[in-house]
mmCIF file of all heavy atoms in Angstrom:
data_model
loop_
_atom_site.group_PDB
_atom_site.id
_atom_site.type_symbol
_atom_site.label_atom_id
_atom_site.label_comp_id
_atom_site.label_asym_id
_atom_site.label_seq_id
_atom_site.Cartn_x
_atom_site.Cartn_y
_atom_site.Cartn_z
ATOM 1 N N VAL A 29 0.787 -1.224 -0.006
ATOM 2 C CA VAL A 29 0.053 0.090 -0.078
ATOM 3 C C VAL A 29 0.902 1.198 0.010
ATOM 4 O O VAL A 29 1.792 1.305 0.697
ATOM 5 C CB VAL A 29 -0.919 -0.011 1.195
ATOM 6 C CG1 VAL A 29 -1.846 1.324 1.234
ATOM 7 C CG2 VAL A 29 -1.815 -1.246 1.254
ATOM 8 N N ASP A 30 0.564 2.289 -0.861
ATOM 9 C CA ASP A 30 1.296 3.467 -0.835
ATOM 10 C C ASP A 30 1.233 4.104 0.505
ATOM 11 O O ASP A 30 0.200 4.253 1.092
ATOM 12 C CB ASP A 30 0.807 4.333 -1.925
ATOM 13 C CG ASP A 30 1.668 5.597 -2.147
ATOM 14 O OD1 ASP A 30 2.508 5.900 -1.270
ATOM 15 O OD2 ASP A 30 1.531 6.230 -3.236
ATOM 16 N N GLU A 31 2.431 4.425 1.088
ATOM 17 C CA GLU A 31 2.393 5.091 2.454
ATOM 18 C C GLU A 31 1.631 6.407 2.406
ATOM 19 O O GLU A 31 0.965 6.699 3.498
ATOM 20 C CB GLU A 31 3.900 5.458 2.689
ATOM 21 C CG GLU A 31 4.869 4.302 2.961
ATOM 22 C CD GLU A 31 4.547 3.785 4.435
ATOM 23 O OE1 GLU A 31 4.659 4.636 5.391
ATOM 24 O OE2 GLU A 31 4.319 2.624 4.605
ATOM 25 N N GLU A 32 1.553 7.078 1.333
ATOM 26 C CA GLU A 32 0.699 8.280 1.318
ATOM 27 C C GLU A 32 -0.680 8.046 1.526
ATOM 28 O O GLU A 32 -1.501 8.827 2.009
ATOM 29 C CB GLU A 32 0.937 9.146 -0.027
ATOM 30 C CG GLU A 32 2.296 9.640 -0.155
ATOM 31 C CD GLU A 32 2.500 10.459 -1.418
ATOM 32 O OE1 GLU A 32 1.443 10.572 -2.141
ATOM 33 O OE2 GLU A 32 3.667 10.944 -1.684
ATOM 34 N N GLN A 33 -1.193 6.828 1.178
ATOM 35 C CA GLN A 33 -2.592 6.435 1.336
ATOM 36 C C GLN A 33 -2.997 6.460 2.827
ATOM 37 O O GLN A 33 -4.028 6.871 3.194
ATOM 38 C CB GLN A 33 -2.923 5.154 0.679
ATOM 39 C CG GLN A 33 -2.796 5.173 -0.872
ATOM 40 C CD GLN A 33 -3.204 3.819 -1.384
ATOM 41 O OE1 GLN A 33 -4.033 3.098 -0.916
ATOM 42 N NE2 GLN A 33 -2.670 3.621 -2.590
ATOM 43 N N TYR A 34 -2.053 5.927 3.643
ATOM 44 C CA TYR A 34 -2.256 5.914 5.035
ATOM 45 C C TYR A 34 -2.507 7.268 5.710
ATOM 46 O O TYR A 34 -3.407 7.617 6.414
ATOM 47 C CB TYR A 34 -1.107 5.198 5.829
ATOM 48 C CG TYR A 34 -0.915 3.756 5.538
ATOM 49 C CD1 TYR A 34 0.501 3.342 5.161
ATOM 50 C CD2 TYR A 34 -1.907 2.823 5.480
ATOM 51 C CE1 TYR A 34 0.694 2.037 4.900
ATOM 52 C CE2 TYR A 34 -1.657 1.458 5.258
ATOM 53 C CZ TYR A 34 -0.485 1.104 4.899
ATOM 54 O OH TYR A 34 -0.106 -0.150 4.630
ATOM 55 N N GLU A 35 -1.498 8.162 5.255
ATOM 56 C CA GLU A 35 -1.509 9.500 5.745
ATOM 57 C C GLU A 35 -2.743 10.276 5.217
ATOM 58 O O GLU A 35 -3.350 11.104 5.884
ATOM 59 C CB GLU A 35 -0.169 10.253 5.445
ATOM 60 C CG GLU A 35 -0.145 11.665 6.062
ATOM 61 C CD GLU A 35 1.264 12.103 6.083
ATOM 62 O OE1 GLU A 35 2.144 11.341 5.651
ATOM 63 O OE2 GLU A 35 1.533 13.248 6.588
ATOM 64 N N THR A 36 -3.113 10.021 3.911
ATOM 65 C CA THR A 36 -4.275 10.657 3.407
ATOM 66 C C THR A 36 -5.599 10.321 4.155
ATOM 67 O O THR A 36 -6.445 11.146 4.452
ATOM 68 C CB THR A 36 -4.391 10.402 1.932
ATOM 69 O OG1 THR A 36 -3.295 10.709 1.174
ATOM 70 C CG2 THR A 36 -5.675 11.041 1.236
ATOM 71 N N LEU A 37 -5.673 8.987 4.404
ATOM 72 C CA LEU A 37 -6.864 8.616 5.052
ATOM 73 C C LEU A 37 -6.949 9.166 6.615
ATOM 74 O O LEU A 37 -8.018 9.692 6.960
ATOM 75 C CB LEU A 37 -6.851 6.980 5.210
ATOM 76 C CG LEU A 37 -7.994 6.375 6.022
ATOM 77 C CD1 LEU A 37 -9.307 6.660 5.358
ATOM 78 C CD2 LEU A 37 -7.771 4.865 6.078
ATOM 79 N N LEU A 38 -5.777 9.238 7.231
ATOM 80 C CA LEU A 38 -5.805 9.722 8.569
ATOM 81 C C LEU A 38 -6.066 11.214 8.563
ATOM 82 O O LEU A 38 -6.934 11.854 9.382
ATOM 83 C CB LEU A 38 -4.423 9.489 9.218
ATOM 84 C CG LEU A 38 -4.249 9.980 10.746
ATOM 85 C CD1 LEU A 38 -5.406 9.404 11.637
ATOM 86 C CD2 LEU A 38 -2.913 9.725 11.253
ATOM 87 N N SER A 39 -5.532 11.914 7.587
ATOM 88 C CA SER A 39 -5.764 13.439 7.482
ATOM 89 C C SER A 39 -7.194 13.728 7.221
ATOM 90 O O SER A 39 -7.703 14.640 7.771
ATOM 91 C CB SER A 39 -4.805 14.082 6.420
ATOM 92 O OG SER A 39 -3.449 13.850 6.646
ATOM 93 N N ARG A 40 -7.850 12.996 6.292
ATOM 94 C CA ARG A 40 -9.224 13.160 6.046
ATOM 95 C C ARG A 40 -10.145 12.905 7.319
ATOM 96 O O ARG A 40 -11.040 13.662 7.569
ATOM 97 C CB ARG A 40 -9.747 12.149 4.880
ATOM 98 C CG ARG A 40 -9.160 12.599 3.526
ATOM 99 C CD ARG A 40 -9.778 11.722 2.418
ATOM 100 N NE ARG A 40 -11.195 11.702 2.430
ATOM 101 C CZ ARG A 40 -11.900 10.736 1.885
ATOM 102 N NH1 ARG A 40 -11.297 9.597 1.418
ATOM 103 N NH2 ARG A 40 -13.254 10.813 1.957
ATOM 104 N N TYR A 41 -9.727 11.914 8.054
ATOM 105 C CA TYR A 41 -10.425 11.537 9.148
ATOM 106 C C TYR A 41 -10.315 12.663 10.232
ATOM 107 O O TYR A 41 -11.360 13.128 10.746
ATOM 108 C CB TYR A 41 -9.940 10.319 9.844
ATOM 109 C CG TYR A 41 -10.415 10.017 11.276
ATOM 110 C CD1 TYR A 41 -11.834 9.697 11.501
ATOM 111 C CD2 TYR A 41 -9.604 10.029 12.257
ATOM 112 C CE1 TYR A 41 -12.241 9.439 12.783
ATOM 113 C CE2 TYR A 41 -10.066 9.863 13.681
ATOM 114 C CZ TYR A 41 -11.343 9.519 13.842
ATOM 115 O OH TYR A 41 -11.928 9.297 15.038
ATOM 116 N N ILE A 42 -9.152 13.126 10.421
ATOM 117 C CA ILE A 42 -8.977 14.240 11.480
ATOM 118 C C ILE A 42 -9.690 15.573 11.000
ATOM 119 O O ILE A 42 -10.425 16.262 11.750
ATOM 120 C CB ILE A 42 -7.412 14.568 11.636
ATOM 121 C CG1 ILE A 42 -6.731 13.279 12.317
ATOM 122 C CG2 ILE A 42 -7.272 15.652 12.597
ATOM 123 C CD1 ILE A 42 -7.300 12.907 13.686
ATOM 124 N N GLU A 43 -9.593 15.827 9.676
ATOM 125 C CA GLU A 43 -10.222 16.918 9.132
ATOM 126 C C GLU A 43 -11.796 16.986 9.369
ATOM 127 O O GLU A 43 -12.420 17.931 9.780
ATOM 128 C CB GLU A 43 -10.034 17.096 7.662
ATOM 129 C CG GLU A 43 -10.542 18.237 6.958
ATOM 130 C CD GLU A 43 -10.243 18.201 5.542
ATOM 131 O OE1 GLU A 43 -10.308 17.160 4.887
ATOM 132 O OE2 GLU A 43 -9.969 19.340 4.904
ATOM 133 N N ASN A 44 -12.318 15.819 9.150
ATOM 134 C CA ASN A 44 -13.806 15.588 9.328
ATOM 135 C C ASN A 44 -14.126 15.803 10.837
ATOM 136 O O ASN A 44 -15.188 16.287 11.180
ATOM 137 C CB ASN A 44 -14.268 14.283 8.767
ATOM 138 C CG ASN A 44 -14.505 14.293 7.246
ATOM 139 O OD1 ASN A 44 -15.616 14.582 6.842
ATOM 140 N ND2 ASN A 44 -13.451 14.106 6.421
ATOM 141 N N VAL A 45 -13.289 15.119 11.656
ATOM 142 C CA VAL A 45 -13.592 15.130 13.133
ATOM 143 C C VAL A 45 -13.584 16.596 13.626
ATOM 144 O O VAL A 45 -14.469 17.068 14.289
ATOM 145 C CB VAL A 45 -12.538 14.344 13.905
ATOM 146 C CG1 VAL A 45 -12.646 14.676 15.448
ATOM 147 C CG2 VAL A 45 -12.806 12.815 13.691
ATOM 148 N N VAL A 46 -12.515 17.303 13.203
ATOM 149 C CA VAL A 46 -12.480 18.792 13.721
ATOM 150 C C VAL A 46 -13.649 19.515 13.113
ATOM 151 O O VAL A 46 -14.353 20.329 13.992
ATOM 152 C CB VAL A 46 -11.262 19.364 13.154
ATOM 153 C CG1 VAL A 46 -11.224 20.918 13.369
ATOM 154 C CG2 VAL A 46 -9.986 18.752 13.706
ATOM 155 N N ALA A 47 -14.089 19.306 11.901
ATOM 156 C CA ALA A 47 -15.414 20.067 11.542
ATOM 157 C C ALA A 47 -16.554 19.613 12.213
ATOM 158 O O ALA A 47 -17.457 20.450 12.587
ATOM 159 C CB ALA A 47 -15.564 19.803 9.934
ATOM 160 N N GLN A 48 -16.619 18.340 12.525
ATOM 161 C CA GLN A 48 -17.891 17.882 13.206
ATOM 162 C C GLN A 48 -17.940 18.331 14.543
ATOM 163 O O GLN A 48 -19.006 18.835 15.116
ATOM 164 C CB GLN A 48 -17.788 16.367 13.235
ATOM 165 C CG GLN A 48 -19.135 15.623 13.725
ATOM 166 C CD GLN A 48 -19.221 15.330 15.224
ATOM 167 O OE1 GLN A 48 -18.062 15.270 15.804
ATOM 168 N NE2 GLN A 48 -20.370 15.163 15.795
ATOM 169 N N VAL A 49 -16.834 18.491 15.356
ATOM 170 C CA VAL A 49 -16.774 19.019 16.694
ATOM 171 C C VAL A 49 -17.119 20.424 16.759
ATOM 172 O O VAL A 49 -17.777 20.960 17.631
ATOM 173 C CB VAL A 49 -15.486 18.632 17.391
ATOM 174 C CG1 VAL A 49 -15.352 19.321 18.731
ATOM 175 C CG2 VAL A 49 -15.196 17.199 17.552
ATOM 176 N N LYS A 50 -16.496 21.181 15.798
ATOM 177 C CA LYS A 50 -16.785 22.592 15.743
ATOM 178 C C LYS A 50 -18.055 23.022 15.049
ATOM 179 O O LYS A 50 -18.479 24.112 14.947
ATOM 180 C CB LYS A 50 -15.581 23.249 14.875
ATOM 181 C CG LYS A 50 -14.281 23.305 15.645
ATOM 182 C CD LYS A 50 -13.300 24.069 14.807
ATOM 183 C CE LYS A 50 -11.980 24.208 15.566
ATOM 184 N NZ LYS A 50 -11.011 24.969 14.759
ATOM 185 N N ARG A 51 -18.876 21.951 14.625
ATOM 186 C CA ARG A 51 -20.087 22.157 13.937
ATOM 187 C C ARG A 51 -19.980 23.044 12.649
ATOM 188 O O ARG A 51 -20.606 24.016 12.453
ATOM 189 C CB ARG A 51 -21.173 22.727 14.908
ATOM 190 C CG ARG A 51 -21.398 21.830 16.124
ATOM 191 C CD ARG A 51 -22.582 22.390 16.976
ATOM 192 N NE ARG A 51 -22.624 21.662 18.168
ATOM 193 C CZ ARG A 51 -23.227 20.540 18.377
ATOM 194 N NH1 ARG A 51 -23.887 19.894 17.194
ATOM 195 N NH2 ARG A 51 -23.321 19.782 19.461
ATOM 196 N N GLU A 52 -18.930 22.621 11.939
ATOM 197 C CA GLU A 52 -18.639 23.414 10.673
ATOM 198 C C GLU A 52 -18.826 22.446 9.566
ATOM 199 O O GLU A 52 -18.912 21.309 9.654
ATOM 200 C CB GLU A 52 -17.211 23.952 10.741
ATOM 201 C CG GLU A 52 -16.876 25.047 11.734
ATOM 202 C CD GLU A 52 -15.493 25.318 11.879
ATOM 203 O OE1 GLU A 52 -14.654 24.643 11.229
ATOM 204 O OE2 GLU A 52 -15.199 26.346 12.608
ATOM 205 N N LYS A 53 -18.932 23.122 8.248
ATOM 206 C CA LYS A 53 -18.930 22.305 7.103
ATOM 207 C C LYS A 53 -17.565 22.297 6.365
ATOM 208 O O LYS A 53 -16.712 23.081 6.608
ATOM 209 C CB LYS A 53 -20.025 22.953 6.095
ATOM 210 C CG LYS A 53 -21.457 22.707 6.589
ATOM 211 C CD LYS A 53 -22.506 23.313 5.551
ATOM 212 C CE LYS A 53 -23.815 23.039 6.037
ATOM 213 N NZ LYS A 53 -24.859 23.554 4.980
ATOM 214 N N LEU A 54 -17.450 21.272 5.539
ATOM 215 C CA LEU A 54 -16.221 21.167 4.723
ATOM 216 C C LEU A 54 -16.311 21.507 3.291
ATOM 217 O O LEU A 54 -17.454 21.146 2.765
ATOM 218 C CB LEU A 54 -15.707 19.712 4.936
ATOM 219 C CG LEU A 54 -15.146 19.243 6.252
ATOM 220 C CD1 LEU A 54 -14.906 17.735 6.160
ATOM 221 C CD2 LEU A 54 -13.833 19.994 6.583
ATOM 222 N N TYR A 55 -15.318 22.094 2.717
ATOM 223 C CA TYR A 55 -15.464 22.481 1.362
ATOM 224 C C TYR A 55 -14.984 21.251 0.447
ATOM 225 O O TYR A 55 -13.951 20.729 0.650
ATOM 226 C CB TYR A 55 -14.441 23.688 1.038
ATOM 227 C CG TYR A 55 -14.439 24.095 -0.359
ATOM 228 C CD1 TYR A 55 -15.611 24.754 -0.928
ATOM 229 C CD2 TYR A 55 -13.409 23.756 -1.276
ATOM 230 C CE1 TYR A 55 -15.560 25.195 -2.273
ATOM 231 C CE2 TYR A 55 -13.386 24.327 -2.496
ATOM 232 C CZ TYR A 55 -14.457 24.915 -3.131
ATOM 233 O OH TYR A 55 -14.508 25.322 -4.409
ATOM 234 N N ASN A 56 -15.865 20.923 -0.552
ATOM 235 C CA ASN A 56 -15.649 19.844 -1.396
ATOM 236 C C ASN A 56 -15.088 20.463 -2.595
ATOM 237 O O ASN A 56 -15.706 21.181 -3.380
ATOM 238 C CB ASN A 56 -16.945 19.083 -1.752
ATOM 239 C CG ASN A 56 -16.678 17.866 -2.436
ATOM 240 O OD1 ASN A 56 -15.878 17.778 -3.390
ATOM 241 N ND2 ASN A 56 -17.442 16.802 -2.246
ATOM 242 N N LYS A 57 -13.730 20.168 -2.961
ATOM 243 C CA LYS A 57 -13.042 20.747 -4.145
ATOM 244 C C LYS A 57 -13.624 20.276 -5.389
ATOM 245 O O LYS A 57 -13.611 20.869 -6.457
ATOM 246 C CB LYS A 57 -11.601 20.365 -4.096
ATOM 247 C CG LYS A 57 -10.900 20.919 -2.885
ATOM 248 C CD LYS A 57 -9.427 20.548 -2.928
ATOM 249 C CE LYS A 57 -8.609 21.084 -1.746
ATOM 250 N NZ LYS A 57 -7.177 20.678 -1.762
ATOM 251 N N ILE A 58 -14.279 19.081 -5.394
ATOM 252 C CA ILE A 58 -14.869 18.530 -6.616
ATOM 253 C C ILE A 58 -16.196 19.207 -7.028
ATOM 254 O O ILE A 58 -16.413 19.675 -8.148
ATOM 255 C CB ILE A 58 -15.043 17.005 -6.500
ATOM 256 C CG1 ILE A 58 -13.663 16.241 -6.357
ATOM 257 C CG2 ILE A 58 -15.699 16.390 -7.768
ATOM 258 C CD1 ILE A 58 -13.825 14.784 -6.002
ATOM 259 N N THR A 59 -17.087 19.248 -5.955
ATOM 260 C CA THR A 59 -18.470 19.880 -6.304
ATOM 261 C C THR A 59 -18.391 21.345 -6.147
ATOM 262 O O THR A 59 -19.291 22.040 -6.713
ATOM 263 C CB THR A 59 -19.509 19.252 -5.336
ATOM 264 O OG1 THR A 59 -19.109 19.609 -3.974
ATOM 265 C CG2 THR A 59 -19.506 17.785 -5.441
ATOM 266 N N GLY A 60 -17.369 21.892 -5.388
ATOM 267 C CA GLY A 60 -17.341 23.330 -5.146
ATOM 268 C C GLY A 60 -18.308 23.753 -4.098
ATOM 269 O O GLY A 60 -18.701 24.975 -3.871
ATOM 270 N N ASN A 61 -18.899 22.758 -3.299
ATOM 271 C CA ASN A 61 -19.944 23.148 -2.386
ATOM 272 C C ASN A 61 -19.413 22.819 -0.969
ATOM 273 O O ASN A 61 -18.476 22.117 -0.681
ATOM 274 C CB ASN A 61 -21.188 22.333 -2.574
ATOM 275 C CG ASN A 61 -21.851 22.596 -3.846
ATOM 276 O OD1 ASN A 61 -21.898 23.695 -4.356
ATOM 277 N ND2 ASN A 61 -22.306 21.528 -4.546
ATOM 278 N N TYR A 62 -19.987 23.470 0.116
ATOM 279 C CA TYR A 62 -19.720 23.131 1.485
ATOM 280 C C TYR A 62 -20.654 22.056 1.931
ATOM 281 O O TYR A 62 -21.898 22.145 1.811
ATOM 282 C CB TYR A 62 -19.818 24.372 2.406
ATOM 283 C CG TYR A 62 -18.763 25.361 2.240
ATOM 284 C CD1 TYR A 62 -18.735 26.426 1.188
ATOM 285 C CD2 TYR A 62 -17.577 25.314 2.978
ATOM 286 C CE1 TYR A 62 -17.693 27.210 1.071
ATOM 287 C CE2 TYR A 62 -16.496 26.090 2.918
ATOM 288 C CZ TYR A 62 -16.597 27.175 1.922
ATOM 289 O OH TYR A 62 -15.529 28.017 1.735
ATOM 290 N N GLU A 63 -20.034 21.002 2.523
ATOM 291 C CA GLU A 63 -20.827 19.864 2.929
ATOM 292 C C GLU A 63 -20.654 19.406 4.360
ATOM 293 O O GLU A 63 -19.671 19.755 4.952
ATOM 294 C CB GLU A 63 -20.528 18.646 1.996
ATOM 295 C CG GLU A 63 -20.760 18.893 0.501
ATOM 296 C CD GLU A 63 -20.158 17.736 -0.376
ATOM 297 O OE1 GLU A 63 -19.489 16.908 0.168
ATOM 298 O OE2 GLU A 63 -20.421 17.874 -1.577
ATOM 299 N N GLN A 64 -21.649 18.632 4.882
ATOM 300 C CA GLN A 64 -21.459 18.164 6.295
ATOM 301 C C GLN A 64 -20.336 17.155 6.361
ATOM 302 O O GLN A 64 -19.989 16.467 5.365
ATOM 303 C CB GLN A 64 -22.786 17.477 6.636
ATOM 304 C CG GLN A 64 -23.984 18.378 6.769
ATOM 305 C CD GLN A 64 -23.810 19.259 7.893
ATOM 306 O OE1 GLN A 64 -23.072 19.059 8.957
ATOM 307 N NE2 GLN A 64 -24.484 20.499 7.940
ATOM 308 N N PRO A 65 -19.617 17.004 7.559
ATOM 309 C CA PRO A 65 -18.677 16.004 7.674
ATOM 310 C C PRO A 65 -19.149 14.660 7.334
ATOM 311 O O PRO A 65 -20.295 14.277 7.603
ATOM 312 C CB PRO A 65 -18.243 16.132 9.227
ATOM 313 C CG PRO A 65 -18.617 17.498 9.505
ATOM 314 C CD PRO A 65 -19.859 17.874 8.679
ATOM 315 N N ASN A 66 -18.218 13.786 6.839
ATOM 316 C CA ASN A 66 -18.617 12.483 6.276
ATOM 317 C C ASN A 66 -18.614 11.467 7.523
ATOM 318 O O ASN A 66 -17.581 11.036 8.004
ATOM 319 C CB ASN A 66 -17.528 12.020 5.228
ATOM 320 C CG ASN A 66 -18.004 10.671 4.570
ATOM 321 O OD1 ASN A 66 -18.735 9.902 5.141
ATOM 322 N ND2 ASN A 66 -17.507 10.592 3.379
ATOM 323 N N GLU A 67 -19.845 11.206 7.982
ATOM 324 C CA GLU A 67 -19.955 10.436 9.128
ATOM 325 C C GLU A 67 -19.547 8.860 8.865
ATOM 326 O O GLU A 67 -18.951 8.233 9.727
ATOM 327 C CB GLU A 67 -21.393 10.333 9.783
ATOM 328 C CG GLU A 67 -21.670 9.671 10.970
ATOM 329 C CD GLU A 67 -20.939 10.362 12.202
ATOM 330 O OE1 GLU A 67 -20.800 11.608 12.090
ATOM 331 O OE2 GLU A 67 -20.562 9.538 13.079
ATOM 332 N N ASN A 68 -19.843 8.512 7.635
ATOM 333 C CA ASN A 68 -19.485 7.051 7.276
ATOM 334 C C ASN A 68 -17.927 6.861 7.373
ATOM 335 O O ASN A 68 -17.469 5.877 7.770
ATOM 336 C CB ASN A 68 -19.938 6.704 5.965
ATOM 337 C CG ASN A 68 -21.489 6.528 5.894
ATOM 338 O OD1 ASN A 68 -22.083 6.245 7.049
ATOM 339 N ND2 ASN A 68 -22.219 6.857 4.859
ATOM 340 N N LEU A 69 -17.184 7.940 6.822
ATOM 341 C CA LEU A 69 -15.674 7.917 6.820
ATOM 342 C C LEU A 69 -15.239 7.764 8.194
ATOM 343 O O LEU A 69 -14.257 7.001 8.627
ATOM 344 C CB LEU A 69 -15.098 9.053 6.139
ATOM 345 C CG LEU A 69 -13.569 9.335 6.281
ATOM 346 C CD1 LEU A 69 -12.830 8.147 5.532
ATOM 347 C CD2 LEU A 69 -13.219 10.593 5.757
ATOM 348 N N MET A 70 -15.744 8.670 9.162
ATOM 349 C CA MET A 70 -15.308 8.681 10.552
ATOM 350 C C MET A 70 -15.502 7.408 11.214
ATOM 351 O O MET A 70 -14.605 6.887 11.984
ATOM 352 C CB MET A 70 -15.989 9.853 11.229
ATOM 353 C CG MET A 70 -15.414 11.158 10.766
ATOM 354 S SD MET A 70 -16.084 12.588 11.636
ATOM 355 C CE MET A 70 -17.776 12.723 11.220
ATOM 356 N N ARG A 71 -16.754 6.796 10.910
ATOM 357 C CA ARG A 71 -17.122 5.573 11.634
ATOM 358 C C ARG A 71 -16.148 4.438 11.086
ATOM 359 O O ARG A 71 -15.712 3.604 11.874
ATOM 360 C CB ARG A 71 -18.533 5.167 11.268
ATOM 361 C CG ARG A 71 -19.579 6.087 11.983
ATOM 362 C CD ARG A 71 -19.664 5.828 13.429
ATOM 363 N NE ARG A 71 -20.744 6.622 14.090
ATOM 364 C CZ ARG A 71 -20.951 6.485 15.345
ATOM 365 N NH1 ARG A 71 -20.316 5.681 16.121
ATOM 366 N NH2 ARG A 71 -21.957 7.228 15.890
#
């Protein structure tokens, strides 16, 4: 497994957790919209 994949997964998890705790939305670069934290990813 590419080492960067581990770090990418962990970074995405932490990013979603921070947004969820602060009750903020995350910017989706693909859609260009602000979205709710990904609960499935965090779980």
Side-chain angles (χ1 to χ4, degrees):
V29 179
D30 190 340
E31 287 284 305
E32 292 184 1
Q33 292 184 28
Y34 297 131
E35 188 161 358
T36 300
L37 177 60
L38 181 59
S39 296
R40 287 183 60 202
Y41 169 68
I42 297 297
E43 183 181 37
N44 277 267
V45 166
V46 170
Q48 192 265 342
V49 173
K50 290 184 173 181
R51 302 184 186 281
E52 297 174 346
K53 291 184 178 182
L54 290 172
Y55 179 72
N56 189 321
K57 294 180 181 179
I58 297 175
T59 64
N61 298 322
Y62 284 92
E63 301 173 352
Q64 293 292 336
N66 189 332
E67 187 66 33
N68 290 331
L69 170 68
M70 291 188 285
R71 291 286 183 180

